[in-house]
Amino acid sequence: MNVLLMAYGTPYAPEEVEPYYTDIRRGRRPSEELLKELAERYEAIGKSPLNEITLAQAVRLQALLNLEAPPYPKRLLGPFPPRAPHGPARVYVGTKHWHPSIGEAVAAMHEDGVRRAVAIVAAPHYSLRSVAEYREKVDSALKALPEPIDFVWVESYEAHPGLIAAYARRLEEVIWRLKNPGKAAYVFTAHSIPVAAVEKGDPYPRQVEKTAELIAKRLALPRFYVAYQSAGRTPEPWLGPDINELLRTLKEEGYEEVAVQAVGFPADHLEVFYDLDLEAQATARELGLRLLRARSLNADLDYIQVLKDLVEAAWPR
Ligand code: FEC
């Protein structure tokens, strides 16, 4: 079994911020002002851990897919069906905007003799501005190969019961720390996308709502809100409400505590550490709101088990 696990990617060093940002902008170099602003955001969080987390996810996913029963005596455990029913699994990492790039990963897979694989993104929701773009990058890498690789895609998994349980578990930890959970506001966030994509019928906001609704139902939350974060620095309109704007509304409505969970991103990175932990936290402080954020899934085994389920279900039999 072969898997291509994809994520956004982040620069490894400050001098890589410029080419990374240029790649995000489809080859258009950012202005000095935009570049300075992004460099300052990285500086403020110290470093984005996204590449390390993606690698840890891949290592753990490969280990879980290859897990075989230890050779215990049959007398104790009875016949143990061997795991890894699809043969040895190999997981490759490809990042959308940095290295290893999706193109580099696809080329390495081909060189290793891979001709069939499951493609999955470490982000649960499909968008024309996320998964569709990962797919374009895979398709363009395939064009450079002498023989094709047959990819089976997992395009979204917004309602996977294991994902909902994993998110609910992290939010429950926040609920324990609230002074008055019955009167708190519960806010689920995802990366914003341009409104133009939504107008083209992008299922993204519907899928984000679904994830939020299922977590809220599982924890019997009295009410919940969905907000978007990290809108791009472009003049076009972006999907809202923005988390900072929503915090102002919540204050006006009389809330004192807000529990925030980023459901659009399984991993910690710039958009979590800067946009939520620094920016939204500063807005909340200014408004006199107590904001607590649920910790991310990262490479925790409950999330890796979700990836394993999805990959095994997609693998052609
Ligand atoms: O830690 C890190 O260094 C990387 C954090 C990071 C993640 C991420 C995820 C998503 N994005 C999505 C959509 C867009 C669209 C644009 C866009 C732009 C940026 C910029 C940075 C950035 N994104 Fe991102 N995104 C991350 C970081 N993103 C930096 C450029 C500066 C800025 O605008 O803030 C606009 C592109 C354009 O100009 O055309 C659209 C979506 C996701 C969630 C799915 C995924 O993880 O792939 C959707 C992590």
Side-chain angles (χ1 to χ4, degrees):
M1 168 184 280
N2 308 295
V3 179
L4 173 58
L5 176 68
M6 289 166 284
Y8 208 82
T10 186
Y12 294 92
E15 60 275 17
E16 295 174 356
V17 173
E18 184 184 326
Y20 169 76
Y21 200 172
T22 305
D23 191 77
I24 292 177
R25 292 167 50 87
R26 295 171 181 261
R28 285 175 300 119
R29 200 184 163 276
S31 65
E32 283 307 318
E33 192 193 343
L34 281 175
L35 189 59
K36 184 166 171 283
E37 195 238 356
L38 181 56
E40 281 169 2
R41 278 192 275 151
Y42 282 114
E43 182 63 31
I45 64 162
K47 173 184 183 298
S48 165
L50 183 57
N51 291 335
E52 286 79 359
I53 292 169
T54 306
L55 187 64
Q57 288 170 338
V59 167
R60 286 191 153 184
L61 176 59
Q62 180 168 297
L64 219 56
L65 288 166
N66 284 324
L67 198 66
E68 286 190 44
Y72 294 127
K74 274 189 185 170
R75 253 177 325 125
L76 286 181
L77 287 167
F80 222 120
R83 302 289 295 277
H86 310 291
R90 274 181 299 183
V91 179
Y92 295 79
V93 168
T95 72
K96 193 176 175 209
H97 295 298
W98 205 232
H99 300 286
S101 68
I102 290 174
E104 288 161 350
V106 171
M109 292 173 90
H110 182 267
E111 211 177 297
D112 289 352
V114 171
R115 296 297 175 265
R116 279 200 315 179
V118 177
I120 186 165
V121 179
H125 309 105
Y126 180 90
S127 169
L128 296 171
R129 295 308 304 269
S130 67
V131 178
E133 292 179 352
Y134 284 88
R135 206 168 175 151
E136 272 170 37
K137 293 211 172 205
V138 170
D139 290 347
S140 98
L142 285 174
K143 285 196 189 117
L145 301 179
E147 303 104 33
I149 300 176
D150 184 12
F151 278 105
V152 182
W153 277 81
V154 176
E155 289 205 322
S156 66
Y157 43 99
E158 73 282 4
H160 188 287
L163 181 81
I164 302 305
Y167 274 138
R169 214 168 284 135
R170 310 293 186 288
L171 187 55
E172 205 173 12
E173 294 169 1
V174 167
I175 295 174
W176 296 332
R177 294 168 52 216
L178 290 169
K179 292 183 199 163
N180 198 340
K183 290 199 170 154
Y186 295 89
V187 181
F188 299 100
T189 71
H191 198 294
S192 183
I193 54 166
V195 169
V198 183
E199 286 168 356
K200 279 187 203 149
D202 199 319
Y204 184 75
R206 226 175 33 245
Q207 292 189 357
V208 172
E209 290 272 350
K210 185 76 196 169
T211 305
E213 186 191 306
L214 290 172
I215 301 168
K217 192 167 162 204
R218 195 178 167 102
L219 292 174
L221 300 182
R223 71 203 74 81
F224 71 91
Y225 299 84
V226 170
Y228 292 90
Q229 58 166 98
S230 321
R233 275 73 179 160
T234 64
E236 62 201 320
W238 286 70
L239 184 62
D242 177 77
I243 174 74
N244 298 284
E245 197 187 297
L246 180 69
L247 290 175
R248 289 180 211 288
T249 311
L250 293 175
K251 177 67 186 179
E252 278 163 25
E253 288 176 7
Y255 286 103
E256 291 176 2
E257 289 186 305
V258 186
V260 173
Q261 181 161 48
V263 293
F265 315 109
D268 284 324
H269 45 64
L270 180 72
E271 317 296 69
V272 174
F273 287 166
Y274 189 90
D275 297 347
L276 292 181
D277 291 353
L278 296 181
E279 204 174 63
Q281 195 58 261
T283 305
R285 244 193 327 272
E286 175 198 313
L287 294 167
L289 280 171
R290 181 165 181 252
L291 186 160
L292 299 178
R293 175 178 71 78
R295 69 188 170 89
S296 302
L297 305 179
N298 291 326
D300 290 358
L301 282 178
D302 51 0
Y303 176 54
I304 305 304
Q305 183 66 45
V306 171
L307 295 177
K308 173 180 180 280
D309 276 3
L310 293 161
V311 161
E312 286 187 339
W315 182 249
R317 274 148 220 273

